Amino acid sequence: MAKPIATTESTQAVNPILFKLIKTECGRSKYMELASRKGIAARLRLSWFVLIAAIRDLRLTQDQL
């Protein structure tokens, strides 16, 4: 059975795989903000953010959060 996708206050679906890559609370809130925007430029900005945030958060352990 597949895991249910979590929802936020705005009932927007959250990808749990991305939240494994983006570990900080501020990064997750920024992801939610960027994911709610529409348009091609917004999608490019979101992709860029996820890539950079995932790279930056690779070195973080659970103790450092």
Side-chain angles (χ1 to χ4, degrees), residues 3-61:
K3 286 184 177 179
I5 294 178
T7 58
T8 62
E9 299 151 2
S10 65
T11 66
Q12 180 180 8
V14 174
N15 189 339
I17 294 171
L18 287 178
F19 274 17
K20 287 183 180 181
L21 297 174
I22 302 172
K23 298 175 184 173
T24 61
E25 190 62 37
C26 62
R28 291 175 176 180
S29 64
K30 185 67 171 183
Y31 168 81
M32 295 302 299
E33 176 189 333
L34 293 173
S36 68
R37 297 181 184 177
K38 305 285 188 242
I40 294 172
R43 294 293 156 205
L44 289 172
R45 170 72 169 98
L46 176 63
S47 299
W48 180 253
F49 173 78
V50 169
L51 177 68
I52 298 301
I55 290 171
R56 288 185 60 155
D57 289 352
L58 278 176
R59 61 185 163 84
L60 294 179
T61 63

